Amino acid sequence: MKYYIETYGCQMNVADSELVASILNEAGYEAANNIDNADILLFNTCSVREHAERRVLGRISNERHRKKEKPHLKIVLLGCMAQRIGESLLTEDTGIDVAVGVDQYKYLPAILKEEHGSALNFNSTENYEHLLPIHQGKHCAFVTIMRGCNNFCSYCIVPYVRGRERSRSYTDILADVRSATDQEMYDVTLLGQNVNSYHYQDISFPILLRQIEKDVPKLRRLRFVTSHPKDLSDDLVQAMQESSVLCEHIHLPMQSGDNETLKRMNRSYSYEIYLDRVKALRNAIPEIAITTDLIAGFPGETESQFESTLQAMREIEFDYAFCFKYSPREGTASAKYPDQIPEEVRLERLKRMIDLQREITLKKFQAMIGKEVEVYVEDFSKKSRTQVSGKTRDFKIGVLSGDETKIGSFVKAKVRAATAGTLICD
Ligand code: SAH
Ligand code: SF4
Ligand code: F3S
């Protein structure tokens, strides 16, 4: 029996799909090279915004017709949406046969033997010990170091669908990072909803980073995502400064630049604290790129509070910002706040946010012109077979001339020109 997995949502889901692949292979299933050859279609889903959920239900509905020619075909819902509404989706006419939640993937082979089924309980200690995910990347790998989230930001569904925070053992993390480098994936990103609160026995996050660098000499680049500003300690900044593998990039979601809004978001820091962390990072690592997440139109956000966020964006000048329109999620605190912002206002603010960030990103990218960067070449560029592309250490896309012999290598190149998304190098 062959399976095919489609993954939505964040990198945690990408890593979870690799875990599921490992569980299925272990049980004798085989990965299909394309959707047409599969007997089992798995959709690893995201619930973070309503749009994400609607999109995947549309996808599933588009693939249902396959059951006509292949009556034994099974459609399986995995991930955060399975956790949130899997039970009720199974009672509706969606085409979904099986729903398995984020802590129950080990039971997937057993459930697939049944015609229909679900396993959706939380298991707040599940860390998939001793399981080695099958990394699907060619040059970059994602390694989960913790699961769940305890922060309960008032807008966010993640703590409800991922359960409580727990850290993975160092032994398992090390085996995972080593397996990545053994397969020539030299750029590793450590994953968790809140990586810098990692704690396993007496290993804190900065200790973990130092230990990985020491124990995996083949590793060339180490990254981590996502960091919460409240846990960005001076020790972590120092670890980043001292390390030669830790990349000059951090993703540090700010969400809003307004203190009232941050309070109502339950983010537990003020703009001043956030800015202090940015300054600490830039003092220690002057060339560091900082990217962020921002939400437009959070309940109760006044025009002037929104302006504070724009002002913060101008002050900090993020290299890139993922901008989101607020989406009320049932069961979260802010979905019940009385002063929801009308859709058209949320949209209009989102647009202003994106426009401003595009200007700033362009400026940031153009400031790289004349500098030398290291590109880890991953593939041909999208536009041409005589050009290759890859990521710089500070998480920008670099394009340079070259052929397949360059793929998989680290190339030092000089930035000649830049757009708001690409560095063109020589
Ligand atoms: N754990 C990470 C990110 C989790 S979700 C963190 O702490 O930042 C990724 C991003 O989605 C969040 O940073 C936030 O900007 C956005 N997001 C989460 N819930 C949202 C909602 N209800 N509406 C709009 N954006 C949301
Ligand atoms: Fe959601 Fe906040 Fe947890 Fe991030 S830290 S996953 S935004 S609750
Ligand atoms: Fe989405 Fe779940 Fe990630 S809700 S953002 S896939 S943890």
Side-chain angles (χ1 to χ4, degrees), residues 79-86 101-103 120-122 160-162:
C80 299
M81 201 175 152
Q83 200 67 56
R84 196 178 87 79
I85 48 170
V102 295
D103 292 336
L120 296 164
N121 289 341
F122 278 122
Y160 302 90
V161 290
R162 286 266 166 183

Side-chain angles (χ1 to χ4, degrees), residues 4-5 20 45-46 63 69 87 107 109 143 147 179 220 222 230 240 272 300 329 336 342 353 370 380:
Y4 185 85
I5 313 183
V20 166
T45 59
C46 175
E63 296 303 332
E69 306 112 58
E87 204 65 71
Y107 303 106
V143 171
R147 305 181 69 85
S179 101
R220 294 285 295 263
L222 187 57
K230 78 174 163 58
M240 293 179 76
E272 289 70 28
R329 306 311 289 134
K336 294 189 252 349
M353 206 178 234
F380 288 105

Side-chain angles (χ1 to χ4, degrees), residues 8-13 44-49 52 79-81 102 156-158 161-162 193:
Y8 296 85
C10 66
Q11 286 140 335
M12 298 291 300
N13 264 12
N44 195 0
T45 59
C46 175
S47 282
V48 83
R49 285 167 291 274
C80 299
M81 201 175 152
V102 295
C156 184
I157 197 73
V158 171
V161 290
R162 286 266 166 183
Q193 289 303 344

